[in-house]
Amino acid sequence: MKVLVPIKRVIDYNVKVRVKADNSGVDLANVKMAMNPFCEIAVEEAVRLKEKGVVTEIVAVSIGPKAAQEQLRTAMALGADRSILVETDEEIQPLGIAKALKAIVEEEKPEMVILGKQAIDDDNNQTGQMLAALTGMPQGTFASEVNVEEGKVKVTREIDGGLQTVELKLPAVVTTDLRLNEPRYASLPNIMKAKKKPLDVKTPADLGVDMTPRVTIEKVETPAERKAGVMVGSVDELVEKLKNEAKVI
Amino acid sequence: MSVLVYAEHDNATLNKVTLSVLAAAKEIGGDITVLVAGKGCGAVAEEAAKAEGVSKVLCADNDAYEHQLAENIAELVAEVGADYKHILAAATTTGKNFAPRVAALLDVAQISEISDVIDGDTFKRPIYAGNAIATVKCADEKKVITVRGTSFDGVAAEGGSASVENLDVVKDSGLSSFVSEELAKSDRPELTSADIVISGGRGMGNGDNFEILYKVADKLGAAVGASRAAVDAGFVPNDMQVGQTGKIVAPQLYMAVGISGAIQHLAGMKDSKVIVAINKDEEAPIFQVADYGLVADLFEAVPELDSKL
């Protein structure tokens, strides 16, 4: 079966985020960018399913600037067979992305869409669910285990109280949580091979979708800093402070 | 102007987080209706009717809603929500699961995890793991919002007397079905609503060593959490994880034991009123956010703390 893996180019996981002085957003100039960590897990899961013989073709897709080709090349180095970039320099938001992905789903007709549960920039956690709604597919969000069976997939989900397993009819959308797998690193030969794999570039207009943002960001601020605390020298002092100064025990 | 609040529950009792969502609804303003969807959830509807500021409770009691499957719940909420300007749910794994689906069905944006209400169109929400706070304004006629529970003080659970109306709307997509559930059983308070939380990190060494935290927790009536490192190492189950991708907590007292303080962990607990850090590494970043820091071997300090409480 064919799997579609949407991925996002985001600020690298290890970069310390700085808010711009004019409060218009986060400073991304000269900052290291990478594939969103949850998307890496999605690519890895698709690759593992291909290695098991369940999946026959993996198509990676990204919606974003030209530079997102780097992340698509990474996905192909990790095992995706080909990729599609829907190129736009405009601000994109989950509903618009879901609409673009729906158009891709209609063209590609995958039996499963595996994507990260959230991107670590906007922390929205929406795109997979929205895509599922727009395409009328069932969804298995926050997956920690994925088992494909005949015509269906069983997804174990990380929920607040523990784990929940659901069974979804295919085609289905699965969003990945951290513990689903540990992504591999791309090997040098595979990075070289990925350069020759096909990468199609489309525009939102080609897909005929309206990706106009519905939400405007009025301002972005640095959160209130916690004021520096004190070091205590002993457990006794700690207990005394918690009882008499902080009055929390 | 009216607000629809989706109730979080386990078919038996109303989850306290719903009271926080009601507080956010109150700030938005207007009549508040609570939607309770589940199976055999009449008692939850009665409980919701007593909450402060609720004018009406709609109860959709059907097999299709027993396990909160997003496919069915989203259809229900989208239909019921047609009459409301704001649709609010808690930013729990339940709310996060169905709310974007509702928004897409209604062709509107969804606003995730708001931490403040500026007005009916404008909200604050954390982005970049809480390293930045965005003020966002939504142009859509209808707003579908998830609410960060710890950012709002819940309304009173008692005192209201709303009417309860049974809803005879059955949405069963047939696309998904419930297989099984493994829920952690604990006599301790729930992490997100506990007044005191004690969390252990990689420094705990193994799962058995968490016993010393449980002993202190039981003396203080505290919940026990963990860092992602401790969860990934298999010391404790994932539902104990505090952090960007785990639970967001903001108790009166948060004690971080053997936790270095990665930004992803801080994102989940830095709104706590008082933070205590116990770590043998004095350079650990956790000390930068701690009100009280103790550089010590946790295997000595925690039992000593236990003996002195």
Side-chain angles (χ1 to χ4, degrees):
Chain A
M1 71 179 194
K2 189 197 273 189
V3 171
L4 189 71
V5 184
I7 61 169
K8 187 176 185 186
R9 173 183 169 89
V10 297
I11 193 165
D12 186 85
Y13 192 66
N14 296 306
V15 171
K16 173 105 177 89
V17 171
R18 264 194 211 90
V19 172
K20 284 191 202 166
D22 65 359
N23 293 113
S24 63
V26 161
D27 196 357
L28 296 178
N30 302 317
V31 164
K32 189 181 175 207
M33 302 294 279
M35 195 194 304
N36 178 47
F38 290 101
C39 303
E40 286 183 341
I41 296 172
V43 173
E44 176 68 31
E45 194 63 19
V47 173
R48 290 188 189 188
L49 287 170
K50 194 176 175 193
E51 287 167 348
K52 275 193 216 162
V54 176
V55 165
T56 49
E57 188 184 20
I58 302 169
V59 182
V61 53
S62 191
I63 293 143
K66 189 164 194 232
Q69 289 195 12
E70 286 170 34
Q71 281 64 47
L72 289 169
R73 292 285 172 206
T74 305
M76 291 190 288
L78 293 168
D81 297 292
R82 59 189 174 90
S83 54
I84 302 165
L85 173 65
V86 181
E87 192 178 321
T88 172
D89 289 319
E90 301 299 314
E91 192 200 332
I92 47 170
Q93 294 179 351
L95 185 61
I97 297 170
K99 287 181 178 178
L101 291 175
K102 178 188 182 224
I104 304 271
V105 165
E106 283 166 356
E107 279 179 21
E108 296 285 340
K109 300 186 173 52
E111 278 185 85
M112 202 153 57
V113 181
I114 309 180
L115 68 172
K117 75 165 181 178
Q118 77 190 62
I120 59 164
D121 47 6
D122 292 331
D123 284 335
N124 274 317
N125 194 336
Q126 298 175 7
T127 303
Q129 296 89 316
M130 285 182 160
L131 173 64
L134 296 178
T135 54
M137 286 194 242
Q139 65 189 52
T141 52
F142 329 140
S144 66
E145 203 181 327
V146 176
N147 288 302
V148 180
E149 294 167 19
E150 188 58 42
K152 60 193 184 188
V153 58
K154 270 191 187 150
V155 179
T156 300
R157 310 175 51 232
E158 297 201 359
I159 59 169
D160 287 336
L163 297 169
Q164 181 195 53
T165 303
V166 291
E167 189 176 286
L168 314 173
K169 284 190 182 154
L170 292 175
V173 172
V174 171
T175 78
T176 60
D177 216 320
L178 283 173
R179 275 162 287 272
L180 180 58
N181 60 50
E182 258 186 65
R184 70 196 67 190
Y185 292 98
S187 68
L188 191 58
N190 285 342
I191 292 170
M192 300 311 288
K193 263 188 242 162
K195 289 184 179 166
K196 297 202 183 77
K197 289 185 180 176
L199 194 163
D200 280 347
V201 179
K202 295 175 189 282
T203 64
D206 294 340
L207 301 175
V209 292
D210 175 13
M211 293 176 63
T212 316
R214 307 292 188 87
V215 174
T216 47
I217 295 171
E218 304 271 290
K219 65 176 171 193
V220 174
E221 298 161 287
T222 305
E225 292 277 326
R226 290 190 72 91
K227 58 180 192 306
V230 296
M231 298 304 284
V232 295
S234 67
V235 171
D236 284 322
E237 192 185 342
L238 177 63
V239 172
E240 191 272 323
K241 295 257 192 217
L242 290 179
K243 275 188 178 152
N244 303 320
E245 196 175 274
K247 298 187 170 58
V248 285
I249 59 170
Chain B
M1 268 235 315
S2 51
V3 184
L4 181 69
V5 168
Y6 188 84
E8 178 99 10
H9 62 87
D10 61 358
N11 293 317
T13 54
L14 185 70
N15 187 313
K16 246 176 90 177
V17 73
T18 303
L19 302 175
S20 297
V21 181
L22 285 168
K26 214 170 131 190
E27 286 189 35
I28 290 168
D31 269 357
I32 300 174
T33 300
V34 174
L35 171 61
V36 177
K39 188 193 173 191
C41 55
V44 179
E46 293 301 329
E47 218 183 320
K50 287 188 210 137
E52 180 193 342
V54 176
S55 37
K56 188 164 76 175
V57 175
L58 301 173
C59 181
D61 191 334
N62 192 278
D63 287 351
Y65 308 132
E66 182 175 8
H67 300 289
Q68 305 290 320
L69 294 172
E71 295 77 9
N72 302 346
I73 298 292
E75 293 276 349
L76 171 71
V77 175
E79 183 171 311
V80 174
D83 300 333
Y84 299 85
K85 205 165 167 226
H86 293 83
I87 300 170
L88 269 58
T92 54
T93 49
T94 305
K96 288 172 180 175
N97 193 29
F98 78 78
R101 203 167 169 115
V102 171
L105 291 174
L106 297 171
D107 192 27
V108 298
Q110 194 241 295
I111 305 164
S112 294
E113 264 197 283
I114 62 162
S115 55
D116 203 359
V117 175
I118 309 295
D119 59 41
D121 301 326
T122 320
F123 311 92
K124 285 192 181 191
R125 56 177 303 265
I127 54 175
Y128 290 91
N131 286 298
I133 307 293
T135 302
V136 297
K137 188 168 181 172
C138 181
D140 287 321
E141 261 309 292
K142 206 182 274 295
K143 274 97 183 157
V144 180
I145 296 167
T146 59
V147 177
R148 177 173 280 203
T150 55
S151 299
F152 295 87
D153 289 328
V155 301
E158 300 281 335
S161 57
S163 60
V164 177
E165 205 177 287
N166 286 317
L167 256 191
D168 197 19
V169 181
V170 180
K171 299 284 180 186
D172 193 348
S173 73
L175 292 170
S176 62
S177 56
F178 171 82
V179 177
S180 62
E181 205 163 51
E182 261 176 71
L183 296 182
K185 299 254 180 296
S186 170
D187 296 332
R188 294 186 191 92
E190 205 226 337
L191 260 177
T192 51
S193 58
D195 284 335
I196 301 179
V197 173
I198 305 177
S199 291
R202 197 197 302 272
M204 296 304 297
N206 60 49
D208 292 340
N209 289 339
F210 266 72
E211 204 51 47
I212 60 175
L213 298 188
Y214 296 136
K215 281 172 79 180
V216 174
D218 289 342
K219 273 197 182 161
L220 294 170
V224 177
S227 70
R228 184 184 156 195
V231 173
D232 281 355
F235 299 172
V236 290
N238 70 281
D239 54 275
M240 285 172 67
Q241 186 189 326
V242 172
Q244 181 187 15
T245 56
K247 289 186 179 139
I248 310 291
V249 302
Q252 292 293 304
L253 172 61
Y254 186 87
M255 299 179 79
V257 180
I259 292 177
S260 63
I263 53 170
Q264 293 78 15
H265 184 74
L266 302 184
M269 46 63 84
K270 69 185 159 84
D271 292 329
S272 305
K273 185 163 169 272
V274 174
I275 297 173
V276 168
I278 301 175
N279 203 301
K280 66 180 175 190
D281 175 13
E282 60 182 296
E283 301 291 324
I286 190 79
F287 287 122
Q288 288 162 23
V289 299
D291 298 281
Y292 302 108
L294 176 64
V295 178
D297 182 345
L298 71 92
F299 297 107
E300 287 166 20
V302 176
E304 188 184 343
L305 180 65
D306 182 31
S307 71
K308 282 172 179 161
L309 287 171

